[in-house]
Amino acid sequence: MKKFWVETFGCQMNKLDSEQFSGELLKSGYEPAGGLDDADVILFNTCSVREHAEQRVYSRGGTLKHRKAKEPGLVIGILGCMAQQEREKILDHLPHVDLVAGPDQYKNLPRLIEEARESAEAVLATRHTAFIPQFDRLAAPRENPWQAYILAMKGCDEMCSYCVVPRTRGREVSKPIAEIVEEAKVLAGSGVVEITLLGQNITAYGEKEGKELADLVEAVAAVPGIRRLRFVTSHPHHATRRLFRAMRDLPNVMPQIHMPAQSGSDRILAMMKRTYTCAEYLDIVAMAREECPGIELASDFIVGFPTETEEDFAATMKLTEQVGFGYAFIFQYSPRPGTPAIRDFADDVPADVKLRRNHELLALQEKMQLSKNRARVGATVEVLVEGRSERNAEKWTGRGPDNRIVVFEGDGDLAGKFVNVRIARATALTLYGDPVREPAAV
Ligand code: SAH
Ligand code: SF4
Ligand code: F3S
């Protein structure tokens, strides 16, 4: 039997895609390899969002050159966003690659791999489709049996000037609510208690059909057995009052939202084509907190966007301080081929300045996180346990409703269970505590 090996880079969307196409391969008679070395098919599911992500794949792919020369029957596939972004350019860098296939081709992956095995030429499959194929969710291997992603929509119609995603993932297409609910039922029936709905621009869910994300969230929250529902990633300008109310009123919709601000400077936000000003972003945050008190916000920031001055950066620092995010991902601007920003603006912020701003913003964010986390000391939090702590195998790790990591000691096998933990101490990244019998307050 042929064995396959998958390495996944990039975001949750790629993680879900890898699960789903692995399911297709298992159904077609492949079995998982124990490692890269004993695989007959090696697949890299790649990310294009920053140059560094692509470089990692090029160097990882480069190490397979000699092996391919010795084992001509080996199939090496580059999948994911790089396949869509780079296409035949991948073959210039990695001539020993047999297959380049984009995200809309995964339903055909078993067939494409066979074609690649039989053909002397590399197979290129990067056409976008206007529909979302349905995968057999029970065939798709997941990290654990109690958590699952569901693809709610694909693509992105925003035009953020720096971003490759609209090119790599195509136009927005929403999956019908009924299909998603059916998928949630199948997953719940197999023991899933936490679902995360995925979309690059999930707050725009259903807009083309006259629906909104709140409709979907309400429908999935009603599926018996789903105790936690989350969704990512939200663009602020589509977020509605109704969505935040649903988060407040439905106990299984977690009070947490990843809603990237990207910058606090109006001038930079306009150049980014983010379609909101800093004041408008703050208004949306105020609306979120008014409708759903205690809601936890997370953000992404890009530092060193073209022409970003110290004053622009100070505005980002100020926004971070004003909002008090529970978490923030900070990225240094990386010019991407094919985006409006690379065409229109020179990448003129020096690397050392980008790095310094990255460190400064991170230090501020960690300070904010530490004080927010310390405020939780004494509270009792309901934790969905994910497994043993990586740092200390005697302890368990899981997440609270707000997505904070909670580490505690407990007896028996607690993986996949809900445990109430009283918080005793906190760092910027982690809450530590002990299991208690009393009900959780949050
Ligand atoms: N669809 C999501 C995520 C997009 S990619 C969203 O809109 O929120 C994840 C993050 O990568 C973005 O939020 C942005 O902060 C960052 N990013 C995207 N393109 C980038 C680039 N060219 N350089 C640096 N960071 C980038
Ligand atoms: Fe990229 Fe903007 Fe779409 Fe997010 S919303 S995927 S940053 S274009
Ligand atoms: Fe990367 Fe593609 Fe996700 S570019 S961030 S893997 S959608």
Side-chain angles (χ1 to χ4, degrees):
M1 214 188 270
K2 297 275 186 213
K3 293 182 182 162
F4 71 101
W5 177 253
V6 182
E7 289 185 15
T8 306
F9 302 80
C11 64
Q12 290 111 319
M13 194 73 81
N14 268 13
K15 223 172 143 189
L16 172 61
D17 286 342
S18 287
E19 292 172 2
Q20 296 194 137
F21 68 63
S22 294
E24 293 300 300
L25 292 174
L26 292 170
K27 280 171 59 167
S28 322
Y30 283 87
E31 63 180 358
L36 184 104
D37 293 339
D38 73 330
D40 307 289
V41 176
I42 298 171
L43 302 168
F44 292 128
N45 191 4
T46 64
C47 173
S48 274
V49 82
R50 283 166 293 275
E51 192 186 348
H52 176 70
E54 291 193 348
Q55 277 166 352
R56 275 173 64 203
V57 170
Y58 278 134
S59 64
R60 188 100 180 101
T63 63
L64 293 174
K65 193 170 167 195
H66 295 298
R67 178 144 167 227
K68 175 72 187 179
K70 279 188 283 172
E71 265 178 72
L74 178 72
V75 174
I76 303 170
I78 303 290
L79 314 180
C81 289
M82 262 176 89
Q84 215 63 48
Q85 168 82 1
E86 297 275 283
R87 298 175 206 229
E88 45 281 292
K89 265 190 278 168
I90 290 175
L91 303 175
D92 299 340
H93 286 87
L94 304 171
H96 50 292
V97 159
D98 306 280
L99 171 66
V100 174
D104 278 349
Q105 302 293 327
Y106 296 156
K107 198 76 191 178
N108 305 326
L109 197 59
R111 183 176 58 71
L112 290 169
I113 291 172
E114 286 321 306
E115 268 179 40
R117 200 194 308 282
E118 278 150 29
S119 146
E121 302 273 293
V123 171
L124 226 80
T126 55
R127 206 167 38 84
H128 281 299
T129 57
F131 62 93
I132 301 181
Q134 196 56 354
F135 286 88
D136 178 351
R137 289 310 306 265
L138 297 183
R142 294 195 313 273
E143 214 164 272
N144 68 47
W146 60 87
Q147 286 169 317
Y149 295 121
I150 296 181
L151 185 78
M153 66 185 297
K154 68 171 189 176
C156 183
D157 288 356
E158 299 297 327
M159 286 184 285
C160 305
S161 59
Y162 49 81
C163 183
V164 293
V165 171
R167 286 164 53 87
T168 64
R169 295 280 170 166
R171 306 283 295 173
E172 280 171 12
V173 181
S174 297
K175 213 191 252 185
I177 292 183
E179 248 175 61
I180 297 171
V181 166
E182 195 43 47
E183 210 171 319
K185 282 183 182 160
V186 168
L187 289 165
S190 79
V192 168
V193 293
E194 178 173 279
I195 282 178
T196 305
L197 301 169
L198 297 187
Q200 289 301 337
N201 186 17
I202 191 123
T203 27
Y205 174 83
E207 276 186 357
K208 291 176 183 169
E209 293 80 26
K211 294 267 187 277
E212 65 166 288
L213 179 59
D215 296 305
L216 174 64
V217 163
E218 286 167 10
V220 179
V223 172
I226 300 306
R227 292 186 55 185
R228 287 186 169 188
L229 180 60
R230 304 181 193 274
F231 51 87
V232 280
T233 308
S234 300
H235 190 298
H237 91 166
H238 298 275
T240 65
R241 200 168 276 279
R242 220 188 109 198
L243 177 66
F244 296 120
R245 283 194 186 145
M247 295 172 87
R248 175 194 62 200
D249 294 340
L250 301 171
N252 57 351
V253 181
M254 295 297 102
Q256 165 249 329
I257 189 165
H258 185 179
M259 190 169 74
Q262 308 297 0
S263 170
S265 154
D266 288 344
R267 195 179 66 82
I268 297 294
L269 285 168
M271 286 171 71
M272 288 178 164
K273 295 257 185 309
R274 284 294 287 183
T275 68
Y276 52 84
T277 61
C278 182
E280 282 163 351
Y281 185 86
L282 289 169
D283 283 347
I284 296 161
V285 168
M287 172 172 89
R289 287 183 167 153
E290 182 188 319
E291 297 298 345
C292 183
I295 190 171
E296 188 71 283
L297 296 133
S299 183
D300 297 349
F301 288 105
I302 298 176
V303 296
F305 193 81
T307 77
E308 187 186 66
T309 61
E310 290 305 324
E311 200 185 336
D312 294 316
F313 176 65
T316 299
M317 294 283 279
K318 186 166 168 218
L319 174 68
T320 302
E321 190 133 34
Q322 273 175 304
V323 175
F325 294 103
Y327 197 79
F329 297 87
I330 301 162
F331 306 106
Q332 297 173 41
Y333 173 68
S334 169
R336 307 305 298 128
T339 59
I342 200 174
R343 189 189 62 219
D344 298 341
F345 316 120
D347 178 20
D348 59 357
V349 178
D352 58 326
V353 175
K354 285 182 183 169
L355 188 64
R356 174 175 52 77
R357 289 179 187 165
N358 188 340
H359 286 321
E360 272 181 43
L361 187 55
L362 187 65
L364 171 62
Q365 175 55 30
E366 285 187 348
K367 191 184 93 185
M368 306 285 302
Q369 261 170 239
L370 183 61
S371 73
K372 282 175 80 83
N373 286 358
R374 282 194 176 143
R376 301 323 275 264
V377 171
T380 300
V381 176
E382 185 180 60
V383 178
L384 173 53
V385 183
E386 288 175 3
R388 293 284 183 184
S389 161
E390 267 175 35
R391 286 225 196 131
N392 181 347
E394 314 239 298
K395 298 198 173 188
W396 293 97
T397 179
R399 284 175 191 269
D402 56 11
N403 222 21
R404 279 202 177 77
I405 297 169
V406 182
V407 170
F408 66 98
E409 254 174 74
D411 299 327
D413 183 5
L414 299 177
K417 304 230 161 61
F418 286 91
V419 177
N420 289 344
V421 175
R422 165 132 15 86
I423 305 307
R425 78 190 165 85
T427 64
L429 281 178
T430 312
L431 303 176
Y432 297 88
D434 300 293
V436 287
R437 288 189 181 281
E438 71 196 53
V442 282

